[in-house]
Amino acid sequence: MAIKLWDLAAAEDDRRFSPNCWRIKMALRHKGLEVEEIPWRFTEKDAIAASGQGAVPVIEDQGQTLYDSWTIANYLDEAYPDRPLLFAGEEAKTLCFFFKHWVERSLHVPFFRVIVLDLERQLHPKDKAYFRSSREKRLGKTLEDFAGDPAQALAQLRGALDPLRPVLAESPYLAGRTPGFADYLLLAEFQWARALSAVRLLEKGDPISAWRERVMDLFGGYARNAVGYPA
Amino acid sequence: MAIKLWDLAAAEDDRRFSPNCWRIKMALRHKGLEVEEIPWRFTEKDAIAASGQGAVPVIEDQGQTLYDSWTIANYLDEAYPDRPLLFAGEEAKTLCFFFKHWVERSLHVPFFRVIVLDLERQLHPKDKAYFRSSREKRLGKTLEDFAGDPAQALAQLRGALDPLRPVLAESPYLAGRTPGFADYLLLAEFQWARALSAVRLLEKGDPISAWRERVMDLFGGYARNAVGYPA
């Protein structure tokens, strides 16, 4: 039976933008597991009440309901150890856990700053007020003040990506010769942006750009074929 | 025959402060290899001329001369594959390469800012002028202006360490249940500071502090017993 995944959607059902959901959508393809993706909106807390909390990704598999992308990725390797692994072992998993925290603390806000106004525009009407008030409260300023100057926001993001460049100049994937969960953690941020915003995030010669193309091509171009703007 | 390592020294022969050398000194103990450590100063370029460049660490092993800490760590796992590995495999090594670049781009300068004036004071007299002029040229300001307000510099460093805390709150080492090269990359920065400066870098309850104590205890307290200030 297919694994059910509740996946955040924008105004259109098939514009899927949640980076935490993208982590898991790529992970499920990596494992070669069948998935039923259910479009979900910020305000539909009832639909995922079985998870005991209010955020996606949520999956239902073999009678269990799980949330949190890191928990789900670990579950998938434990429940399906004979399928391709998301983590090559304990050392790789621990370093990937660091990578996850680096993405969340050093990349996520610079990405958010670049796309925030496009994001708000693309939301389902019933989600817009929730999004604006919850985010402005967290940021302590209006979305417009947070976005600031677009050129400056883009330069900040490109600078934040710096430690990735020497790695991706030498290695096809963050996990080495073949992709792993670290690659999906990073791609998820780019898929989030691409679903919502036409801003060109990377310059042509950037090694991160070549890596991004490679990861979008995986699994029959699954990430590339998602509804969004050109990368 | 023991591996020769040229290791940066301060005014005293046994005050060894180079973080790039500390990476390799820990790595050599991890491998259980015999080492002859030769004190070296910034201005003694002739002594390491065989490496074809002017910086330490430099090692000589089995008739080969090697430099650059990443190259040397890789060499040690290749030349001594039957001894404990510094990298658990290709995925762990690639993620560790990212970690190295993160340390260099996000941690190294905040550490340097906290200790720079103590560092200059501890140098061998023949190295002081070289150090000041080369670093002030690179920084574009005097060492004193770079150091700025000590409390602010310390707060900046503690903030830069943020992505490590959730990892070290859950895992004894960055490499998992046992230490690996990632741990030595991070410890090297702390050993650099401790060799030169009495500043207390971490607060007691900080999970990074407990990790640091653990790594200093490895190999019979090798890092803890080095000449320096209390951690």
Side-chain angles (χ1 to χ4, degrees):
Chain A
M1 218 173 75
I3 295 176
K4 279 187 186 169
L5 170 73
W6 282 265
D7 186 18
L8 190 60
E12 305 147 74
D13 258 12
D14 58 356
R15 190 178 298 273
R16 306 294 177 86
F17 65 100
S18 158
N20 291 340
C21 291
W22 268 107
R23 295 172 175 184
I24 296 308
K25 290 190 286 180
M26 294 299 286
L28 287 163
R29 264 103 202 140
H30 180 101
K31 303 292 292 184
L33 294 163
E34 239 190 292
V35 197
E36 179 194 346
E37 292 170 2
I38 304 158
W40 179 89
R41 266 91 190 189
F42 282 124
T43 42
E44 297 171 357
K45 304 293 184 196
D46 286 356
I48 58 167
S51 71
Q53 51 85 64
V56 289
V58 167
I59 68 164
E60 193 188 296
D61 184 35
Q62 306 182 58
Q64 285 188 76
T65 301
L66 292 156
Y67 69 95
D68 179 80
S69 66
W70 187 256
T71 303
I72 295 171
N74 278 271
Y75 163 80
L76 293 175
D77 265 6
E78 280 157 30
Y80 303 97
D82 299 334
R83 290 170 176 266
L85 293 171
L86 293 162
F87 306 102
E90 197 218 344
E91 181 169 325
K93 189 191 288 189
T94 308
L95 289 169
C96 190
F97 194 49
F98 169 79
F99 186 73
K100 167 187 135 75
H101 288 287
W102 177 75
V103 167
E104 291 169 2
R105 283 165 199 251
S106 300
L107 289 190
H108 195 71
V109 171
F111 268 101
F112 190 46
R113 195 179 157 207
V114 169
I115 67 170
V116 62
L117 299 179
D118 288 329
L119 195 168
E120 199 235 5
R121 206 176 48 236
Q122 300 256 14
L123 286 179
H124 194 284
K126 72 178 174 181
D127 273 2
K128 286 195 191 212
Y130 166 80
F131 177 79
R132 180 171 281 270
S133 73
S134 63
R135 268 51 177 182
E136 291 190 342
K137 192 174 166 190
R138 197 187 297 168
L139 295 164
K141 55 181 85 170
T142 67
L143 299 183
E144 288 73 13
D145 282 350
F146 170 66
D149 173 47
Q152 205 177 53
L154 187 59
Q156 185 194 10
L157 172 59
R158 288 177 178 173
L161 293 163
D162 262 351
L164 293 163
R165 293 195 172 90
V167 181
L168 294 174
E170 288 201 9
S171 176
Y173 298 104
L174 289 168
R177 272 184 299 270
T178 57
F181 196 62
D183 293 282
Y184 310 142
L185 288 168
L186 181 59
L187 186 78
E189 302 294 312
F190 283 103
Q191 288 295 103
W192 178 37
R194 196 169 80 76
L196 302 164
S197 169
V199 174
R200 186 164 291 276
L201 300 176
L202 299 169
E203 288 176 288
K204 273 256 152 62
D206 190 331
I208 303 171
S209 178
W211 164 87
R212 184 189 187 186
E213 299 291 327
R214 262 193 302 279
V215 184
M216 285 198 301
D217 282 341
L218 294 171
F219 321 127
Y222 173 67
R224 188 184 295 287
N225 295 332
V227 171
Y229 296 89
Chain B
M1 220 173 73
I3 295 176
K4 280 187 184 166
L5 169 73
W6 282 267
D7 185 19
L8 191 61
E12 305 148 73
D13 258 11
D14 58 356
R15 189 177 298 273
R16 306 295 177 85
F17 64 100
S18 158
N20 291 340
C21 291
W22 268 107
R23 295 172 176 184
I24 297 307
K25 290 190 286 180
M26 295 299 286
L28 287 163
R29 264 103 202 140
H30 180 102
K31 303 292 293 185
L33 293 164
E34 239 190 290
V35 197
E36 179 194 346
E37 292 171 1
I38 305 159
W40 179 90
R41 267 91 190 188
F42 282 124
T43 42
E44 297 171 357
K45 303 295 184 194
D46 286 355
I48 58 167
S51 71
Q53 52 86 62
V56 290
V58 166
I59 67 161
E60 193 187 295
D61 184 36
Q62 307 181 56
Q64 285 189 75
T65 302
L66 291 156
Y67 69 94
D68 178 79
S69 66
W70 187 256
T71 303
I72 295 170
N74 277 271
Y75 164 81
L76 293 175
D77 264 6
E78 281 156 31
Y80 302 97
D82 298 334
R83 290 169 176 266
L85 293 172
L86 293 162
F87 306 102
E90 198 218 343
E91 181 168 327
K93 189 191 287 188
T94 308
L95 289 169
C96 190
F97 194 48
F98 169 80
F99 186 73
K100 167 188 134 74
H101 287 288
W102 177 75
V103 167
E104 291 170 2
R105 284 165 197 253
S106 301
L107 288 191
H108 195 69
V109 170
F111 267 101
F112 190 45
R113 197 180 156 206
V114 169
I115 67 170
V116 61
L117 298 179
D118 288 329
L119 196 169
E120 200 236 3
R121 205 175 51 238
Q122 299 255 14
L123 286 179
H124 194 285
K126 72 177 176 182
D127 273 2
K128 286 195 191 211
Y130 166 82
F131 177 79
R132 181 172 280 270
S133 73
S134 63
R135 269 49 177 182
E136 291 190 344
K137 192 174 165 189
R138 198 187 295 168
L139 296 164
K141 54 181 86 169
T142 66
L143 300 183
E144 287 74 12
D145 282 351
F146 171 66
D149 173 49
Q152 205 178 54
L154 187 60
Q156 185 194 11
L157 172 59
R158 288 176 177 173
L161 293 164
D162 262 351
L164 293 162
R165 293 194 172 89
V167 182
L168 294 173
E170 288 201 10
S171 176
Y173 298 104
L174 290 168
R177 272 185 299 271
T178 57
F181 197 61
D183 293 281
Y184 310 141
L185 288 168
L186 181 60
L187 186 78
E189 302 293 314
F190 283 102
Q191 288 295 103
W192 177 36
R194 196 169 80 77
L196 302 163
S197 168
V199 174
R200 187 164 291 275
L201 300 177
L202 299 170
E203 288 176 288
K204 273 257 152 64
D206 191 331
I208 304 172
S209 178
W211 164 88
R212 183 189 188 186
E213 299 290 327
R214 262 192 302 279
V215 183
M216 286 199 301
D217 281 340
L218 295 170
F219 321 126
Y222 173 67
R224 188 184 295 286
N225 295 332
V227 171
Y229 296 88

